[in-house]
Amino acid sequence: MKSVSGKQLCKILLANGWELKRISGSHHIFYKKGFYPVTVPVHMNKDLPISVLKSILKMTNLTENDL
């Protein structure tokens, strides 16, 4: 699986119709109608752990190809 930083994932979510509602510290909370809120940790330009990335992709119905 391709590694992605939190900043990059935020851009991908915005491009796929997700809306940034708020930022709490280093966590960006995104909303989209029909889905539960998704929290993306943005720690500078560090890549997200694969387990976190897979979990977010599953919650947002995105695939590896969307990265």
Side-chain angles (χ1 to χ4, degrees):
M1 175 172 274
K2 180 180 173 184
S3 60
V4 176
S5 72
K7 284 183 179 182
Q8 291 171 325
L9 186 57
C10 287
K11 290 177 185 177
I12 292 167
L13 289 174
L14 290 171
N16 282 287
W18 287 82
E19 185 179 342
L20 178 63
K21 282 292 186 178
R22 62 189 173 95
I23 299 173
S24 179
S26 62
H27 293 86
H28 291 58
I29 293 91
F30 289 87
Y31 288 89
K32 186 174 183 179
K33 188 172 178 142
F35 291 89
Y36 289 108
V38 175
T39 303
V40 178
V42 180
H43 299 126
M44 296 168 40
N45 259 347
K46 287 185 178 179
D47 288 342
L48 294 172
I50 297 298
S51 59
V52 173
L53 181 58
K54 283 184 178 182
S55 176
I56 292 173
L57 290 179
K58 187 175 180 181
M59 290 187 292
T60 59
N61 286 339
L62 295 176
T63 63
E64 275 189 67
N65 296 331
D66 296 322
L67 304 177

